[in-house]
Amino acid sequence: MPELPEVETTRRGIAPHLEGQRVSRVIVRERRLRWPIPEDLDVRLSGQRIVLVERRAKYLLINAEVGTLISHLGMSGNLRLVEAGSLAAKHEHVDIELESGLALRYTDPRRFGAMLWSLDPLNHELLARLGPEPLTELFDGDRLFKLSRGRSMAVKPFIMDNAVVVGVGNIYATEALFAAGIDPRRAAGGISRARYLRLAVEIKRILAAAIERGGTTLRDFIGGDGQPGYFQQELFVYGRAYEACKVCGSELREVKLGQRASVFCLKCQR
Ligand SMILES: [Zn+2]
């Protein structure tokens, strides 16, 4: 599933080819994504110039002069640039053709993604209640400490809650808790301010490193397969249940927290 770093890499990959370009037409071959693509998307977008491509959480906001295309990659979606008019394969559901002769092509085999239209995207129901971006000053350990007081839920689902902070998916939550030495099963409300300060730093460090690695794949967005993939980041615990801890050598454990598999080290995480 594309996580925040892959979505940010997608934004950086497609933005230079979109910004300043006028849309010549929109071709929708399959409307049935997670929500149907609006029938009038072509009418609304064609003829308009794309002003700015932004990201909020895992949503891409393709801002036109009037209105914004909100796109989410779902479980299996990707966006890339192709020659306008080039033959579309199965699962290549949408082309947004540009005056430059390129087209932004949306592919999504599982169709859990989204392409919606909004005149006020930040107040759209999908975005309005999202917490702060993890790589901004609005997110820090103090926020984690304050929001967690009195909460008995485990710390891992707490930091994966989009109302607390956006973009901390399972990989990044698992790795950040290991880096901060915090047992993912601990009650969020029982963790000290000092440990949350450390955790926030590790979340930022790990996400920033993944985005930086994605930068090496930017040219894949034109003509390539648009798959920034999962960056070859060194994983200490994620996906390594019952293997040896890279720090202390003891066997890593796995538990389910908030329906998600969580790998951790009993010795290194308290
Ligand atoms: Zn260990």
Side-chain angles (χ1 to χ4, degrees):
M1 189 192 312
E3 295 285 350
L4 185 143
E6 289 82 18
V7 179
E8 176 60 21
T9 298
T10 298
R11 187 193 71 74
R12 294 179 187 188
I14 65 175
H17 304 286
L18 266 56
E19 289 173 358
Q21 285 290 321
R22 200 174 290 282
V23 174
S24 40
R25 63 172 176 164
V26 180
I27 301 166
V28 179
R29 299 180 196 88
E30 172 60 84
R31 266 178 215 291
R32 294 168 301 167
L33 301 184
R34 181 162 182 188
W35 300 280
I37 297 175
E39 296 275 353
D40 58 359
L41 184 62
D42 179 36
V43 175
R44 293 201 180 256
L45 195 50
S46 292
Q48 288 213 64
R49 205 175 284 284
I50 294 172
V51 178
L52 186 65
V53 180
E54 298 176 290
R55 179 188 57 73
R56 178 74 175 101
K58 297 201 313 188
Y59 295 94
L60 286 165
L61 307 179
I62 299 174
N63 296 296
E65 291 156 301
V66 179
T68 297
L69 179 67
I70 302 176
S71 181
H72 193 287
L73 302 175
M75 308 283 284
S76 58
N78 73 72
L79 285 164
R80 71 193 205 279
L81 278 303
V82 299
E83 297 283 341
S86 64
L87 214 58
K90 203 179 172 189
H91 309 307
E92 297 185 338
H93 306 311
V94 181
D95 280 1
I96 296 172
E97 294 188 350
L98 307 165
E99 276 182 344
S100 63
L102 293 175
L104 181 69
R105 179 165 285 177
Y106 179 73
T107 307
D108 189 356
R110 296 183 66 183
R111 292 194 279 113
F112 279 106
M115 278 217 170
L116 300 168
W117 185 255
S118 174
L119 293 174
D120 186 9
L122 296 180
N123 287 310
H124 189 278
E125 58 180 331
L126 292 171
L127 281 80
R129 283 175 295 277
L130 292 173
E133 290 290 323
L135 296 173
T136 63
E137 298 175 352
L138 295 173
F139 170 66
D140 60 17
D142 269 328
R143 178 177 172 85
L144 292 177
F145 179 68
K146 285 182 191 137
L147 289 181
S148 62
R149 293 310 89 184
R151 298 190 63 173
S152 58
M153 77 189 296
V155 61
K156 179 159 173 273
F158 171 72
I159 60 171
M160 291 177 69
D161 179 352
N162 270 336
V164 173
V165 56
V166 300
V168 183
N170 202 22
I171 300 173
Y172 302 105
T174 299
E175 291 293 316
L177 286 163
F178 178 80
I182 297 172
D183 186 323
R185 301 169 299 176
R186 284 194 53 154
I191 293 173
S192 70
R193 182 173 170 277
R195 302 190 80 199
Y196 273 129
L197 294 178
R198 171 83 189 278
L199 179 58
V201 167
E202 297 295 356
I203 289 171
K204 287 173 189 272
R205 180 183 66 76
I206 290 169
L207 284 172
I211 291 169
E212 196 177 312
R213 279 185 191 85
T216 62
T217 70
L218 289 185
R219 63 190 166 150
D220 297 346
F221 283 90
I222 179 155
D225 65 1
Q227 298 281 17
Y230 293 92
F231 310 131
Q232 302 302 306
Q233 189 164 15
E234 188 184 8
L235 297 173
F236 282 88
V237 277
Y238 181 83
R240 300 192 62 245
Y242 312 113
E243 293 177 33
C245 173
K246 290 180 181 178
V247 173
C248 75
S250 57
E251 187 185 271
L252 297 175
R253 304 296 177 88
E254 183 172 47
V255 284
K256 280 232 160 160
L257 293 169
Q259 325 300 330
R260 306 298 298 271
S262 301
V263 182
F264 69 106
C265 176
L266 268 175
K267 250 191 182 167
C268 296
Q269 293 173 261
R270 305 262 161 181

